[in-house]
């Protein structure tokens, strides 16, 4: 079931509508940030659906069968009006133009069920993904060059299912005065593999530095991002840093 609520001034919730959106479990529901009356849902029936909450929601605005397994993650791009990303147990991320939902713009295989997707808070071409049995990945989702090497960094230090992930929403984070708990990892942007350093516990911070990759016409330098990730069975929370400043060459 999908349920919409209204938040009142006294911080209580009032149910607005509820409907059966999918034949099996509904795994995810997400607003279109540019059109708040439009929401998208994904379910274990392998369906991605759109809904206009100004209606009774008896019929979806569209139904997509592009994913071959359950749809469990959806995120609207706050920087690009018509772009959303969806993820599935089928180990793929699909990018969509919401004006043309018959087929996706791009398909990226990430080697694990995609349980969570988060667009970068200030860069509409960078996407963060929690990929269950295959760790966490940062992706370049630029469509200008056909996205020849979409995975630009990976974090694989969790020992259980990669389940939750998000950006720390501050423009700049100082890396000065680092203490001995900071672990330095160097990840090659041409590879999906991350060096297997020592285990990072909940209180430690890892830093990933991306090498320049001029073959893909991009280098990543300078700016600092902080990311928090969590895993399922071991209840672990990791905090790590990555340098991500894309400078595209002609």
């Amino acid at each position: 079931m999908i349920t919409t609520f209204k938040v009142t001034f006294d911080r209580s919730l009032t149910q607005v509508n509820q409907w059966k959106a999918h034949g099996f479990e509904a795994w995810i529901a997400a607003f279109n940030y540019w059109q708040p009356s439009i929401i998208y849902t994904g379910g274990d029936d392998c369906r991605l659906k759109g809904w206009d909450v100004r209606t009774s929601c008896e019929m979806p605005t569209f139904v997509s069968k592009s994913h071959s397994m359950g749809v469990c993650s959806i995120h609207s791009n706050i920087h690009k009006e018509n772009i959303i990303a969806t993820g599935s147990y089928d180990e793929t991320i699909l990018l969509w133009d919401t004006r043309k939902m018959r087929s996706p713009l791009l398909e990226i295989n990430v080697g694990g069920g995609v349980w969570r997707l988060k667009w970068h808070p200030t860069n509409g071409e960078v996407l963060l993904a929690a990929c269950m049995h295959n760790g966490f990945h940062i992706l370049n989702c630029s469509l200008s060059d056909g996205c020849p090497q979409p995975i630009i960094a990976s974090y694989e230090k969790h020992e259980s299912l990669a389940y939750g992930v998000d950006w720390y929403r501050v423009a700049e984070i100082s890396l000065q005065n680092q203490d001995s708990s900071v672990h330095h990892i160097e990840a090659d942007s041409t590879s999906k593999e991350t060096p297997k350093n020592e285990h990072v516990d909940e209180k430690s911070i890892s830093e990933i530095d991306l090498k320049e990759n001029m073959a893909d016409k991009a280098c990543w330098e300078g700016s600092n991002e902080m990311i928090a990730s969590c895993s399922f069975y071991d209840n672990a929370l990791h905090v790590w840093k990555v340098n991500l400043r894309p400078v595209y060459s002609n």
Side-chain angles (χ1 to χ4, degrees):
M1 300 292 286
I2 298 294
T3 307
T4 56
F5 294 91
K6 179 180 179 180
V7 181
T8 62
F9 288 107
D10 62 357
R11 299 183 181 180
S12 61
L13 294 177
T14 302
Q15 182 174 311
V16 176
N17 196 6
Q18 186 176 75
W19 68 98
K20 184 176 177 60
H22 294 273
F24 299 101
E25 289 89 346
W27 288 123
I28 186 71
F31 284 100
N32 182 320
Y33 291 148
W34 298 83
Q35 300 180 66
S37 60
I38 303 299
I39 67 171
Y40 308 105
T41 64
D44 214 33
D45 55 2
C46 313
R47 303 294 190 268
L48 169 67
K49 299 184 180 183
W51 309 88
D52 188 334
V53 296
R54 294 169 296 186
T55 71
S56 62
C57 293
E58 294 180 359
M59 294 291 293
T61 58
F62 73 87
V63 178
S64 172
K65 303 177 183 178
S66 293
H67 283 293
S68 61
M69 298 180 71
V71 180
C72 43
S73 188
I74 304 169
H75 201 205
S76 172
N77 193 322
I78 198 170
H79 302 289
K80 296 188 175 185
E81 181 174 359
N82 301 304
I83 300 297
I84 64 170
T86 63
S88 167
Y89 290 129
D90 65 10
E91 304 185 352
T92 64
I93 295 172
L94 301 182
L95 298 188
W96 300 85
D97 184 329
T98 57
R99 299 165 297 183
K100 304 173 182 178
M101 294 300 293
R102 290 192 176 186
S103 60
L105 297 171
L106 185 67
E107 177 177 331
I108 304 170
N109 190 299
V110 289
V114 186
W115 188 254
R116 191 62 66 236
L117 291 170
K118 290 288 183 177
W119 288 106
H120 190 279
T122 61
N123 187 328
E125 294 183 344
V126 177
L127 183 64
L128 184 59
C131 302
M132 299 185 74
H133 293 284
N134 198 36
F136 301 88
H137 301 296
I138 301 172
L139 301 100
N140 172 11
C141 293
S142 171
L143 299 172
S144 58
D145 291 329
C147 204
Q149 184 62 48
I151 297 178
I152 56 176
S154 299
Y155 183 78
E156 299 173 346
K157 287 179 170 288
H158 282 270
E159 297 179 352
S160 182
L161 291 178
Y163 236 54
V165 70
D166 205 350
W167 306 91
Y168 181 58
R169 299 173 187 275
V170 173
E172 293 185 1
I173 304 168
S174 175
L175 287 179
Q176 302 300 318
N177 302 319
Q178 295 180 353
D179 60 30
S180 59
S181 68
V182 178
H183 298 267
H184 297 273
I185 305 170
E186 195 161 289
D188 190 336
S189 58
T190 64
S191 172
K192 292 175 62 177
E193 296 185 359
T194 302
K196 304 297 184 179
N197 288 13
E198 62 271 27
H199 175 69
V200 180
D201 61 30
E202 293 88 344
K203 295 182 180 179
S204 65
I205 296 175
S206 297
E207 181 184 353
I208 297 177
D209 293 314
L210 295 179
K211 297 178 180 178
E212 293 184 359
N213 181 19
M214 300 309 295
D216 287 341
K217 299 182 179 180
C219 60
W220 302 82
E221 53 188 33
S223 72
N224 305 313
E225 304 286 349
M226 184 176 286
I227 296 169
S229 57
C230 59
S231 46
F232 187 66
Y233 294 109
D234 57 0
N235 306 316
L237 172 67
H238 291 191
V239 178
W240 39 288
K241 290 179 180 177
V242 61
N243 289 342
L244 279 183
R245 179 172 293 167
V247 181
Y248 293 98
S249 60
N250 294 326

